[in-house]
């Protein structure tokens, strides 16, 4: 109503992958020529008693109540669950031709998107990591980008015991030896878990990391879990020029959604 947008208007629901999937749907609308411009992202305001009670009943939340600032600690050996957060991120997604007509400079290009399902369990991720890895491989293939070109991964990294070790395994399966090279971090260590909006916010963080040449840290990573043995950028941001960033969004029910971004054509090294 505010913008006067009169195209398709709907809410996509796929658990914690929702924001990423909304952007993937918008990307498909634009690249197939159905729309020139789409507003897409995610917003979530879950801090109400029934939501907290539900996730608490699943024992998915951190119980580190005596030190809340240290409660979200992805990939740390003492992690015990996620911390709920609220927020929103919305992108103006448009074709290159549309941006040129409007005389605006794009912040980034969305180059690839893919989604898979574990078909495994209502809440637990698959222990093999194969389906999540397949989403990463498919998104990179769609983007025409080799794993050796990935400069940063924003991990799903929820701070739950199962997600973090299984995501580590999935990244290794997808990227092979490059998994040990590429800097990775979980911004949820600082923002908490925005549930359906998480994928959109973390996409924005990927775009800003490329724009600013600065990879955000995983804070509270004081004692790395031996099963989470990749470079998770502990406790301090990393200055690094990068052209390609990947964002992982995995959700309850086995949703796996991956977005691959690059700098705009004029800003990246070919």
């Amino acid at each position: 109503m505010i913008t006067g947008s009169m195209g398709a208007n709907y809410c996509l629901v796929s658990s914690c992958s929702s924001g990423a999937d909304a952007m993937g749907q918008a990307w498909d609308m634009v690249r197939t020529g159905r729309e020139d411009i789409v507003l897409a992202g995610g917003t979530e305001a879950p801090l109400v008693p029934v939501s907290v009670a539900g996730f608490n009943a699943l024992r998915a939340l951190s119980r580190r109540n005596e030190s809340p600032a240290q409660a979200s600690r992805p990939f740390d050996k003492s992690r015990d669950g996620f911390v709920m957060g609220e927020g929103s991120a919305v992108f103006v997604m448009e074709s290159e031709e549309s941006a040129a007509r409007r005389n605006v400079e794009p912040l980034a290009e969305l180059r690839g998107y893919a989604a898979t399902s574990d078909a495994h369990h209502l809440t637990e991720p698959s222990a093999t990591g194969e389906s999540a890895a397949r989403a990463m491989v498919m998104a990179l293939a769609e983007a025409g980008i080799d794993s050796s070109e990935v400069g940063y991964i924003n991990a799903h990294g929820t701070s739950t015991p199962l997600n973090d070790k299984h995501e580590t395994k999935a990244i290794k399966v997808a990227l092979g030896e490059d998994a040990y090279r590429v800097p990775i971090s979980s911004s949820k260590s600082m923002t908490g878990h925005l549930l359906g909006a998480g994928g959109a916010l973390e996409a924005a963080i990927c775009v800003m990391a490329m724009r600013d040449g600065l990879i955000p840290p995983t804070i509270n990573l004081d004692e790395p879990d031996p099963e989470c043995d990749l470079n998770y950028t502990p406790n301090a941001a990393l200055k690094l020029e990068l052209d390609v960033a990947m964002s992982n969004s995995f959700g309850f029910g086995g949703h796996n959604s991956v977005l691959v971004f690059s700098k705009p054509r004029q800003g990246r090294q070919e």
Side-chain angles (χ1 to χ4, degrees):
M1 288 183 285
I2 292 171
T3 63
S5 301
M6 297 178 70
N9 178 16
Y10 59 91
C11 178
L12 195 154
V13 180
S14 50
S15 184
C16 305
S17 293
S18 299
D21 286 332
M23 295 181 66
Q25 292 284 317
W27 176 68
D28 191 56
M29 286 180 176
V30 171
R31 71 178 188 144
T32 57
R34 284 177 285 160
E35 301 288 355
D36 279 339
I37 303 177
V38 180
L39 302 179
T43 185
E44 192 85 84
L47 297 184
V48 295
V50 68
S51 294
V52 174
F55 284 114
N56 184 60
L58 290 170
R59 302 188 68 83
L61 300 180
S62 173
R63 294 168 184 256
R64 194 182 287 259
N65 297 319
E66 72 284 354
S67 53
Q70 286 76 47
S72 184
R73 43 198 318 109
F75 308 107
D76 189 84
K77 190 175 181 179
S78 65
R79 68 190 184 278
D80 69 339
F82 71 81
V83 174
M84 292 173 70
E86 291 191 339
S88 178
V90 176
F91 287 75
V92 177
M93 302 182 67
E94 63 184 318
S95 64
E96 195 170 17
E97 294 76 15
S98 174
R101 284 196 301 270
R102 296 198 309 118
N103 195 30
V104 295
E105 187 170 328
L107 294 170
E109 290 184 36
L110 176 51
R111 300 276 297 277
Y113 159 73
T116 63
S117 174
D118 286 350
H120 169 67
H121 192 271
L122 286 175
T123 58
E124 293 181 9
S126 171
T128 68
E130 290 179 5
S131 186
R134 188 161 56 89
M136 289 182 246
V137 170
M138 290 167 60
L140 287 170
E142 187 71 57
I145 290 172
D146 188 77
S147 62
S148 63
E149 300 176 79
V150 177
Y152 168 58
I153 299 174
N154 188 289
H156 188 56
T158 57
S159 186
T160 63
L162 291 180
N163 174 85
D164 296 2
K165 70 176 182 179
H166 295 333
E167 183 172 11
T168 298
K169 185 179 295 184
I171 293 171
K172 291 176 182 177
V173 172
L175 271 64
E177 288 301 313
D178 285 311
Y180 295 90
R181 171 195 58 79
V182 63
I184 307 165
S185 68
S186 172
S187 47
K188 289 183 179 73
S189 61
M190 297 172 284
T191 67
H193 191 352
L194 273 62
L195 306 180
L201 177 65
E202 289 152 20
I205 290 169
C206 283
V207 170
M208 293 170 69
M210 291 189 297
R211 183 195 67 184
D212 299 339
L214 189 67
I215 291 173
T218 304
I219 66 168
N220 299 321
L221 182 47
D222 300 326
E223 186 179 3
D225 184 339
E227 293 188 89
C228 302
D229 57 349
L230 300 178
N231 176 14
Y232 286 114
T233 320
N235 298 311
L238 175 66
K239 286 190 174 183
L240 183 70
E241 291 299 317
L242 62 144
D243 289 336
V244 176
M246 183 163 70
S247 179
N248 288 343
S249 296
F250 306 148
F252 279 1
H255 300 282
N256 306 300
S257 302
V258 178
L259 300 168
V260 177
F261 297 92
S262 73
K263 282 183 176 177
R265 193 183 308 275
Q266 66 272 25
R268 64 177 184 259
Q269 299 177 3
E270 299 291 355

